[in-house]
Amino acid sequence: MSQMSDNLTVTSVQARKAMLAAFNAKRPVFLWGPPGIGKSEVVSEITDELGGYMIDLRMAQMEPTDIRGIPFYNKESGKMDWAEPVDLPDEELASQYPVVVLFLDEMNSAPPAVQAAGYQLILNRRVGKYHLPDNVVIVAAGNRDSDKGVTYRMPMPLANRFLHLEMRPDFTAWQNWAVDKGIHKDVVGYLSFAKQDLYDFDAKSSSRAFATPRSWVFVSDLLKDEANIDDDTLFNLVAGAVGDGLATKFMAHRRVAGKMPNPADILEGKVEDLQVSEISAMYSLTVSMCYELKDYLETKSSNRKKFHEMCDNFFAYMMKNFETELVVMGAKVALKTYKLPIEPSQLTNFNEFHKRYGKYIVEAGN
């Protein structure tokens, strides 16, 4: 299979919807995309969503016999027989779940002999005496030829058996995912301002470290343990994840963002003015306030009156200190990304907010 650069690309959200439809039709899916974009994560999350079980096979590390089994002499029949592969799902396992996802990762990085072994399994849902249980669905994944990985051309009859989807990085989809997964607020705040830095992989570059959704998760994990890491070491680790250039930008952003008011104090009404006007830090502050509101709901959700008082302070602070674009962004993040259950009738300054920014919110939502 040649590289997919001329084909229609989809976001992770669109890929999820397409795969669910393909599962219902019992059609195997091939998920293409550059490294670190989250292909395996999407498959894993769909499996969990369906209450299923995922078998993750790294095809590049397998031998043909891992797929088709090995022959042995059957003393009872006096004939050659086949030992079924242990990694493939049997009826007993399949009966325990509504769906079993057989995930063939690094499919086009597997040597031709391994791909050939998988051909009958994918084409006919059987190999030798082994049959895939009825509730097993097949998803394969791989990098494009242009991504500088080790790839082999896929036989066209095999490629034609799949429904092909090519994923692309998409900030909005990633942001929604990051909020659900609790990715560190500094990472979300920085990328809300510098969306182009979510993904900067260049197959022509010799750099070993580059930014991908996966490597920003590494950065998030580092920040959660930063109390035990000195500044120089933290910079080196961040650079090792996303590259020197982005590490420099990200750490400079954090230094400025650290001078911003405590978001909890803003929501409590203790701080009303903004002294630092650095735009990237203001993005981070907005995200941090949304984090605080979400955390309050999750820990003290019964006190909705207090929650709406905090929301009042959130909107009042933005209206007083931010330009229109950032106010609109803050409202969208709070309502659409964080899905905060804000009731306009409970906000004392909602009429003013709607009068000043209502039309921009509507336009931004279209």
Side-chain angles (χ1 to χ4, degrees), residues 190-191 193-200 211-213 215-216 242 246 249-250:
Y190 171 73
L191 292 175
F193 167 72
K195 297 178 179 64
Q196 73 280 359
D197 290 343
L198 173 64
Y199 191 85
D200 75 342
T212 67
S215 59
W216 281 114
V242 298
L246 287 188
K249 289 172 60 179
F250 176 70

Tab-separated table of all heavy atoms in Angstrom, residues 190-191 193-200 211-213 215-216 242 246 249-250:
chain	number	residue	atom	x	y	z
A	190	TYR	N	-0.823	26.111	27.211
A	190	TYR	CA	0.155	26.517	26.200
A	190	TYR	C	-0.331	26.167	24.793
A	190	TYR	O	-0.269	26.992	23.874
A	190	TYR	CB	1.496	25.828	26.458
A	190	TYR	CG	2.499	26.027	25.336
A	190	TYR	CD1	3.122	27.251	25.150
A	190	TYR	CD2	2.776	24.998	24.443
A	190	TYR	CE1	4.013	27.447	24.102
A	190	TYR	CE2	3.663	25.176	23.402
A	190	TYR	CZ	4.277	26.413	23.238
A	190	TYR	OH	5.156	26.601	22.196
A	191	LEU	N	-0.848	24.937	24.620
A	191	LEU	CA	-1.275	24.520	23.287
A	191	LEU	C	-2.563	25.201	22.848
A	191	LEU	O	-2.830	25.306	21.652
A	191	LEU	CB	-1.434	22.999	23.244
A	191	LEU	CG	-0.121	22.217	23.378
A	191	LEU	CD1	-0.388	20.720	23.445
A	191	LEU	CD2	0.831	22.537	22.227
A	193	PHE	N	-2.953	28.279	23.115
A	193	PHE	CA	-2.407	29.476	22.467
A	193	PHE	C	-1.607	29.117	21.219
A	193	PHE	O	-1.744	29.758	20.181
A	193	PHE	CB	-1.513	30.227	23.460
A	193	PHE	CG	-0.662	31.281	22.818
A	193	PHE	CD1	-1.228	32.453	22.352
A	193	PHE	CD2	0.708	31.104	22.673
A	193	PHE	CE1	-0.450	33.430	21.740
A	193	PHE	CE2	1.494	32.078	22.079
A	193	PHE	CZ	0.915	33.238	21.607
A	194	ALA	N	-0.789	28.072	21.317
A	194	ALA	CA	0.108	27.688	20.218
A	194	ALA	C	-0.353	26.356	19.630
A	194	ALA	O	0.324	25.333	19.745
A	194	ALA	CB	1.549	27.598	20.722
A	195	LYS	N	-1.512	26.357	19.018
A	195	LYS	CA	-2.113	25.117	18.505
A	195	LYS	C	-1.203	24.414	17.510
A	195	LYS	O	-1.219	23.177	17.400
A	195	LYS	CB	-3.465	25.423	17.857
A	195	LYS	CG	-4.512	25.982	18.810
A	195	LYS	CD	-5.808	26.307	18.077
A	195	LYS	CE	-6.880	26.848	19.011
A	195	LYS	NZ	-6.499	28.134	19.627
A	196	GLN	N	-0.428	25.180	16.774
A	196	GLN	CA	0.431	24.585	15.759
A	196	GLN	C	1.534	23.730	16.376
A	196	GLN	O	2.153	22.904	15.696
A	196	GLN	CB	1.061	25.678	14.886
A	196	GLN	CG	2.168	26.492	15.557
A	196	GLN	CD	1.642	27.589	16.485
A	196	GLN	OE1	0.433	27.759	16.618
A	196	GLN	NE2	2.545	28.326	17.111
A	197	ASP	N	1.770	23.887	17.675
A	197	ASP	CA	2.833	23.127	18.333
A	197	ASP	C	2.360	21.779	18.865
A	197	ASP	O	3.143	21.032	19.453
A	197	ASP	CB	3.432	23.935	19.496
A	197	ASP	CG	4.235	25.133	19.003
A	197	ASP	OD1	4.593	25.150	17.813
A	197	ASP	OD2	4.496	26.053	19.803
A	198	LEU	N	1.090	21.459	18.661
A	198	LEU	CA	0.609	20.142	19.075
A	198	LEU	C	1.356	19.054	18.309
A	198	LEU	O	1.670	17.998	18.861
A	198	LEU	CB	-0.898	20.017	18.817
A	198	LEU	CG	-1.515	18.635	19.045
A	198	LEU	CD1	-1.398	18.220	20.511
A	198	LEU	CD2	-2.979	18.608	18.599
A	199	TYR	N	1.644	19.334	17.037
A	199	TYR	CA	2.268	18.317	16.196
A	199	TYR	C	3.229	18.989	15.221
A	199	TYR	O	2.807	19.839	14.430
A	199	TYR	CB	1.194	17.550	15.412
A	199	TYR	CG	1.721	16.326	14.719
A	199	TYR	CD1	1.824	15.114	15.393
A	199	TYR	CD2	2.147	16.378	13.400
A	199	TYR	CE1	2.325	13.986	14.775
A	199	TYR	CE2	2.654	15.260	12.765
A	199	TYR	CZ	2.734	14.061	13.456
A	199	TYR	OH	3.241	12.956	12.835
A	200	ASP	N	4.512	18.635	15.312
A	200	ASP	CA	5.473	19.260	14.390
A	200	ASP	C	6.417	18.239	13.766
A	200	ASP	O	7.551	18.549	13.423
A	200	ASP	CB	6.270	20.369	15.104
A	200	ASP	CG	7.341	19.814	16.043
A	200	ASP	OD1	7.261	18.623	16.420
A	200	ASP	OD2	8.271	20.570	16.388
A	211	ALA	N	7.330	17.066	18.542
A	211	ALA	CA	6.051	17.177	19.237
A	211	ALA	C	4.976	16.351	18.547
A	211	ALA	O	4.773	16.452	17.336
A	211	ALA	CB	5.618	18.638	19.309
A	212	THR	N	4.293	15.549	19.329
A	212	THR	CA	3.117	14.800	18.896
A	212	THR	C	2.150	14.788	20.081
A	212	THR	O	2.551	15.076	21.216
A	212	THR	CB	3.461	13.344	18.525
A	212	THR	OG1	3.857	12.638	19.718
A	212	THR	CG2	4.575	13.266	17.501
A	213	PRO	N	0.894	14.444	19.863
A	213	PRO	CA	-0.001	14.283	21.018
A	213	PRO	C	0.581	13.347	22.074
A	213	PRO	O	0.433	13.578	23.271
A	213	PRO	CB	-1.273	13.727	20.380
A	213	PRO	CG	-1.286	14.324	19.010
A	213	PRO	CD	0.161	14.323	18.582
A	215	SER	N	3.851	12.751	22.726
A	215	SER	CA	4.977	13.318	23.465
A	215	SER	C	4.535	14.431	24.412
A	215	SER	O	5.163	14.655	25.454
A	215	SER	CB	6.068	13.826	22.505
A	215	SER	OG	5.579	14.819	21.630
A	216	TRP	N	3.426	15.129	24.105
A	216	TRP	CA	2.907	16.125	25.053
A	216	TRP	C	2.318	15.444	26.289
A	216	TRP	O	2.332	16.007	27.382
A	216	TRP	CB	1.869	17.019	24.382
A	216	TRP	CG	2.476	18.097	23.531
A	216	TRP	CD1	2.389	18.229	22.178
A	216	TRP	CD2	3.281	19.198	23.973
A	216	TRP	NE1	3.086	19.333	21.750
A	216	TRP	CE2	3.642	19.956	22.832
A	216	TRP	CE3	3.733	19.626	25.220
A	216	TRP	CZ2	4.429	21.110	22.904
A	216	TRP	CZ3	4.524	20.775	25.304
A	216	TRP	CH2	4.859	21.496	24.158
A	242	VAL	N	9.778	16.818	23.238
A	242	VAL	CA	9.205	17.597	22.132
A	242	VAL	C	10.249	18.368	21.318
A	242	VAL	O	9.890	19.072	20.381
A	242	VAL	CB	8.135	18.588	22.656
A	242	VAL	CG1	6.988	17.840	23.302
A	242	VAL	CG2	8.740	19.597	23.635
A	246	LEU	N	10.790	23.748	20.965
A	246	LEU	CA	9.505	23.840	21.650
A	246	LEU	C	9.681	23.815	23.159
A	246	LEU	O	8.889	24.431	23.884
A	246	LEU	CB	8.582	22.703	21.209
A	246	LEU	CG	8.009	22.818	19.795
A	246	LEU	CD1	6.965	21.737	19.546
A	246	LEU	CD2	7.395	24.192	19.568
A	249	LYS	N	10.329	27.393	24.168
A	249	LYS	CA	9.098	28.183	24.125
A	249	LYS	C	8.163	27.809	25.281
A	249	LYS	O	7.582	28.679	25.929
A	249	LYS	CB	8.379	27.956	22.795
A	249	LYS	CG	9.056	28.572	21.587
A	249	LYS	CD	8.381	28.141	20.294
A	249	LYS	CE	6.915	28.564	20.236
A	249	LYS	NZ	6.279	28.159	18.947
A	250	PHE	N	8.035	26.524	25.528
A	250	PHE	CA	7.108	26.064	26.561
A	250	PHE	C	7.564	26.493	27.952
A	250	PHE	O	6.750	26.967	28.760
A	250	PHE	CB	6.972	24.540	26.499
A	250	PHE	CG	6.114	23.965	27.587
A	250	PHE	CD1	4.744	24.190	27.585
A	250	PHE	CD2	6.666	23.206	28.608
A	250	PHE	CE1	3.934	23.660	28.593
A	250	PHE	CE2	5.876	22.679	29.617
A	250	PHE	CZ	4.504	22.906	29.605
